Amino acid sequence: MPLRSALVLLLGTLSGVFTALLSVLGDASTPTAILVGLGTVGPAVIFFNQIIS
């Protein structure tokens, strides 16, 4: 896997994890926080892919 792809996926995953963490800290239930985090990963990967290219 090229370094650029690994970096884009890492940043997307970290965005999802931090979004889920903030959701839990904001009194959301765990399943809701997981869904919010997973919903953030896709757009974050697209965003970071465009920024880094």
Side-chain angles (χ1 to χ4, degrees), residues 7-49:
L7 182 63
V8 167
L9 290 175
L10 175 68
L11 290 172
T13 303
L14 288 176
S15 297
V17 168
F18 287 131
T19 305
L21 180 64
L22 287 174
S23 296
V24 168
L25 292 176
D27 293 332
S29 65
T30 303
T32 302
I34 291 171
L35 289 175
V36 168
L38 288 174
T40 304
V41 172
V45 167
I46 294 170
F47 173 76
F48 288 120
N49 188 31

